[in-house]
Amino acid sequence: MLVRRPRVLHSAACAVLLCAALASGEAQQSKTLTLHAATAVPRVDGEIDPVWAIADSVADFEQMGPYYGKPPAERTVAKVLASDEALYALFICYSTHAVIQNNAGIHDQTSGDAVSIMLDTFNDRTSAYKFGVTASGTQFDGRLIDDGRNRDVSWDGVWFTRTAVHPWGYVVEIEIPFKSIRYDGEIPEWGLDMDRWIPDTREDISWVRYEQAEGQRISKFGRLVLNGARPTASGLNLEIYPVAVARSEYDPSTKKYKVEPDAGIDIFYNPSEKLTFQLTGNPDFAQIEADPFEFNISRYETYYSERRPFFTAGSEVFMASGREQNSGFYRPLELFYSRRIGQSLSDGSLVPLNVGAKTFGRLGAWEYGAFLARTGSVDYDDDGTLTNEPTATFASARVKKQIFDNSSIGVLFVGKQTPGRLEGVIDVDGAFRSPTYQLAYQLARSIDNGEGDYAASAGLRSFTKEWGVLIRTRAIGKEFDVDAVGYVPWTGTANFTLITGPMYYFDQGPVTSIFQYSGFSVTYEDVDLATDWVGAVGINMQFRDNWGFETSFIGGRSKDEGIRYTSWEADHSMWFNISPRWNANIWGGYSYGYNFSREYVGSYFWFGSYVEWKPLSTLELGTSFNMYVEKMPGGAIEDITYNARPFISLTPIVNLNLRIYADDVFLRSSDQNERVIVGFLFSYNFLPKSWIYLALNEIQERQDVMDSFGQAKGRRMEVAGRAGVAKIKYLYYL
């Protein structure tokens, strides 16, 4: 289970303490499991074949929560075997309660009984594959990176599983073909851990014990001794995905539909177990789901996550080290922001991506990757002016070396070449790690036809059973411009943040842990020629029945747009995961600061909530709701923005999902909806990595209505976009 950590101080950062971070990680745990060669290939059918009798087994699982280090309430037995071409895992999960089988929430493994196996196939103590299965048979997989501090859930492998539910519990069998993963077949052992989620007792159990303050760490995995089993990857190790697409799009200007059949192809080729090539031709990058509404009153552009499969696959290779997914406190500068490639232009048209290619691999302690994409030229309407977006070539190269056990150092280049111009960035980054701390660092220089500037960032996270420390720092030159390839809008700024305080863990009682913290932040912004100083105090509490809250207070002196004022903010959030049938989050806050969308200093408060309910094993209902209140300097309300996103998700059988969703924006000032998105998505994963999609989407926005003289005579909701997409993607696995 992920442990929520404080989200404190919205801006700022940390000093580099290199001398304190050079220590290597702790020794690997002594837990060992031997991988025997199977005398016959196990049938993956959920039944326990006689061949499993020769397999090594483990049953000494321990709780990570809610009672750390205690034996679990239910017994679990796990075994592994290998043939020449695949690794097999067997889980026998005993249960005194009825096994919870939830098809709903297919991306949420905590909604029902589930198990997973994790493999560090290079024994680098830094990265690992994760393969998970729910009792209903739903698969989930991904990559653990940065010693388990970050996860790449976009990784999608070809592997197979079957489950069988019995009155006494359930059985899971897993087959992982060696040609589906990268590995080092020459080393004598891999890293290994296995875990189980038991929703009735809210128990998160694992084979390996981890530090309670830090959670799962790959550097502490147990040992999977390969023994006589030697992985081999037979065949061409080639994955070919032809993609057929039919798209119907409504043009609001002509009131007509345009139907466009299309086709593309994706190819993955693994010439060896350590190297991957990826190629895409004429990819379908049209985004059927519009980006969600984001309320933004800062001076910086809104960040949107990448959702296109070609860019998300293997993206971990091109990430700077040190991203903290669990806490979100420190993130390195986003120097490769793939949303810049094939981006949406001001009139809504898309820059075409003609071809793209990637390669990434391992060579001993070295990891490397390269990326290349070519976009086409397109004319578009930029506020009434016909403008051309020229043909461009995007390229990235990455080299990273493992040092000091599971620490790393690397170099990254990202560039965009257009006729007569080269823009981009080069960066050196890395991280020093142990199971209880990570110190990440980054130094970058932007490039614009030889011109450029520098930027740097660093972050330290250290949690023990007694004390927690969070530090981050960032300094960005005035001329540091990576807008062509990255997302770093904070030019001409420098900041430093320190948060620290005691940690308390409790073996018994309703409270699991308490983190009481305090700290400060210093931020310099060149645009204001001023330094802001703020202090913070807060508390984060986790409860044994899987809920918690955090409250923080921030205040200090700030200056924006020439105005010096006393800024302050109060935040509160709560999360509830106390039942496998529902979970919820509630948050809110109040701040006094500069509103860049209104250009004044005023108050602003917000309230938000999210709830999911699973009334049936096949049905999930949910919604998020946000309210943003802007107040003028005199205290009067400027406006209130409401945003609701309800959804219905039906999963009648495993791997088939129907989803209906909406995104509604309502303003108090107009007493009307300003934007409404309604969508329907049918998706069926009929074979490994083979999908059928049917998507319908409509966007309506309130727009000015003009009379015959070109004068505005009111505003009304108009269709801004309407599209339907049918798509089939089929895997040829050679």
Side-chain angles (χ1 to χ4, degrees), residues 201-406:
T201 55
R202 313 304 289 171
E203 286 185 11
D204 180 19
I205 68 172
S206 60
W207 180 48
V208 175
R209 176 183 287 197
Y210 302 99
E211 297 297 325
Q212 190 174 11
E214 276 291 328
Q216 187 179 65
R217 291 289 172 260
I218 299 167
S219 56
K220 300 197 77 174
F221 273 15
R223 300 160 55 211
L224 179 64
V225 179
L226 300 186
N227 197 21
R230 278 299 172 210
T232 59
S234 63
L236 295 176
N237 302 326
L238 181 65
E239 299 177 17
I240 302 175
Y241 305 90
V243 181
V245 181
R247 181 179 179 87
S248 175
E249 191 164 2
Y250 177 74
D251 187 344
S253 62
T254 63
K255 311 294 185 183
K256 294 181 180 180
Y257 286 90
K258 179 173 61 175
V259 179
E260 295 181 334
D262 206 351
I265 191 167
D266 295 319
I267 298 173
F268 285 81
Y269 175 48
N270 298 292
S272 78
E273 67 273 15
K274 301 178 185 179
L275 179 63
T276 298
F277 289 103
Q278 181 183 359
L279 176 69
T280 186
N282 193 31
D284 171 42
F285 283 160
Q287 192 168 292
I288 186 62
E289 291 189 55
D291 286 315
F293 169 76
E294 296 289 344
F295 187 81
N296 185 355
I297 60 172
S298 75
R299 59 162 42 114
Y300 305 114
E301 70 167 301
T302 301
Y303 177 88
Y304 293 104
S305 61
E306 179 63 85
R307 291 180 284 175
R308 298 171 293 178
F310 173 73
F311 293 107
T312 58
S315 59
E316 64 170 272
V317 178
F318 303 95
M319 289 181 185
S321 299
R323 182 172 304 199
E324 295 176 2
Q325 183 168 307
N326 291 3
S327 72
F329 181 78
Y330 169 74
R331 290 187 64 172
L333 303 176
E334 192 98 8
L335 303 179
F336 187 10
Y337 183 38
S338 56
R339 291 283 297 242
R340 305 295 191 203
I341 306 173
Q343 63 184 332
S344 178
L345 300 171
S346 57
D347 65 352
S349 58
L350 293 174
V351 176
L353 177 60
N354 299 329
V355 66
K358 283 183 186 177
T359 182
F360 41 90
R362 302 282 296 253
L363 185 62
W366 294 87
E367 185 174 6
Y368 56 89
F371 170 90
L372 187 68
R374 179 79 169 173
T375 58
S377 174
V378 62
D379 294 326
Y380 66 100
D381 183 356
D382 184 12
D383 198 20
T385 302
L386 184 63
T387 307
N388 176 262
E389 179 73 16
T391 297
T393 300
F394 292 84
S396 179
R398 173 70 159 166
V399 178
K400 184 167 62 173
K401 188 178 189 299
Q402 189 170 336
I403 60 174
F404 299 119
D405 198 12
N406 74 335

Side-chain angles (χ1 to χ4, degrees), residues 417-600:
Q417 176 75 59
T418 53
R421 188 174 186 185
L422 173 63
E423 302 170 87
V425 64
I426 187 167
D427 133 283
V428 177
D429 63 83
F432 298 101
R433 301 187 185 97
S434 83
T436 57
Y437 76 81
Q438 174 174 266
L439 172 62
Y441 57 91
Q442 180 183 40
L443 176 64
R445 188 184 192 277
S446 62
I447 303 167
D448 189 349
N449 278 355
E451 303 294 328
D453 206 342
Y454 291 91
S457 72
L460 173 66
R461 171 190 170 88
S462 175
F463 277 87
T464 67
K465 258 198 135 175
E466 293 79 27
W467 203 265
V469 178
L470 294 164
I471 305 175
R472 65 186 180 192
T473 191
R474 185 173 65 202
I476 304 170
K478 290 189 295 183
E479 306 301 322
F480 186 82
D481 181 3
V482 295
D483 286 350
V485 295
Y487 177 85
V488 186
W490 315 281
T491 56
T493 67
N495 43 50
F496 175 90
T497 297
L498 166 65
I499 297 295
T500 187
M503 295 285 303
Y504 305 97
Y505 288 92
F506 304 93
D507 295 331
Q508 301 292 330
V511 179
T512 305
S513 65
I514 299 175
F515 179 36
Q516 293 177 305
Y517 57 85
S518 60
F520 66 92
S521 176
V522 183
T523 303
Y524 172 80
E525 293 182 296
D526 185 76
V527 67
D528 294 306
L529 296 175
T531 300
D532 299 344
W533 296 78
V534 298
V537 295
I539 184 170
N540 179 290
M541 293 186 68
Q542 311 278 344
F543 292 85
R544 208 166 300 279
D545 51 358
N546 244 36
W547 72 280
F549 73 87
E550 180 179 350
T551 302
S552 63
F553 299 93
I554 305 168
R557 294 289 292 168
S558 302
K559 183 179 180 181
D560 289 297
E561 301 297 325
I563 303 172
R564 175 66 72 176
Y565 59 95
T566 299
S567 62
W568 64 276
E569 179 177 320
D571 296 271
H572 182 74
S573 61
M574 302 179 69
W575 46 92
F576 304 88
N577 296 281
I578 58 180
S579 167
R581 292 298 180 191
W582 66 273
N583 66 82
N585 292 67
I586 301 172
W587 58 88
Y590 192 99
S591 75
Y592 181 79
Y594 197 86
N595 185 326
F596 287 91
S597 68
R598 308 292 184 180
E599 299 183 342
Y600 56 62

